[in-house]
Amino acid sequence: MSLGTLVLRYGFFAVLATLANLGTQRLVLLGGDEARLFLPALAMGTLVGLVVKYLLDKRWIFFDPAAGLGAHGRKFSLYTLMGVATTAIFWGTETLFWWIGGTHAARETGAVLGLAVGYVVKYNLDKQYVFRQLE
């Protein structure tokens, strides 16, 4: 796959996962008390975005043919581990914007910025540690 195709595809998948993440957060926050629901919304959104991104990356970015529960379990565990640092970038940026701006627009701006930086870092970690045998 050409570099241009890779960047466009990975970027598109990052946007899809971001929309899934933020959409899930909005659904959780509809429950009322935003201060009480902020962390659960952040966690649920992150989980949904992670699963969406894993499935897309595995098939369409890294072309990983591994199948079965065991293979998926190992890959998803590594994929999640690589996401710990990038999640800290994302959560930290989103939380900072939430505290400073105090609005959903500010929170989501921070989320988008944090996710963008995190996804660049995550691609490199996934390429090197999760899907390396496919190079």
Side-chain angles (χ1 to χ4, degrees):
M1 166 173 22
S2 73
L3 178 60
T5 300
L6 172 66
V7 168
L8 286 174
R9 189 178 287 183
Y10 194 82
F12 179 67
F13 293 162
V15 168
L16 289 179
T18 299
L19 291 173
N21 184 324
L22 295 177
T24 301
Q25 286 187 34
R26 282 198 173 204
L27 287 174
V28 172
L29 290 171
L30 286 175
D33 184 0
E34 292 174 355
R36 184 180 59 81
L37 292 174
F38 178 69
L39 287 178
L42 201 62
M44 287 299 299
T46 299
L47 179 62
V48 169
L50 179 70
V51 170
V52 167
K53 190 78 167 61
Y54 167 76
L55 293 172
L56 293 170
D57 283 356
K58 183 180 183 312
R59 171 67 178 94
W60 297 102
I61 299 297
F62 298 106
F63 304 101
D64 181 25
L69 189 57
H72 277 293
R74 284 186 298 280
K75 295 279 181 175
F76 188 72
S77 294
L78 280 172
Y79 189 85
T80 300
L81 182 61
M82 295 303 117
V84 170
T86 59
T87 298
I89 294 168
F90 153 54
W91 281 9
T93 307
E94 180 174 353
T95 302
L96 178 66
F97 275 62
W98 175 258
W99 285 342
I100 291 171
T103 66
H104 287 295
R107 177 186 58 77
E108 289 178 353
T109 299
V112 169
L113 290 173
L115 284 166
V117 170
Y119 279 138
V120 170
V121 172
K122 183 137 179 34
Y123 169 79
N124 288 297
L125 291 171
D126 291 339
K127 182 178 178 185
Q128 184 171 352
Y129 297 108
V130 180
F131 299 104
R132 69 175 176 239
Q133 71 276 9
L134 300 176
E135 293 183 38

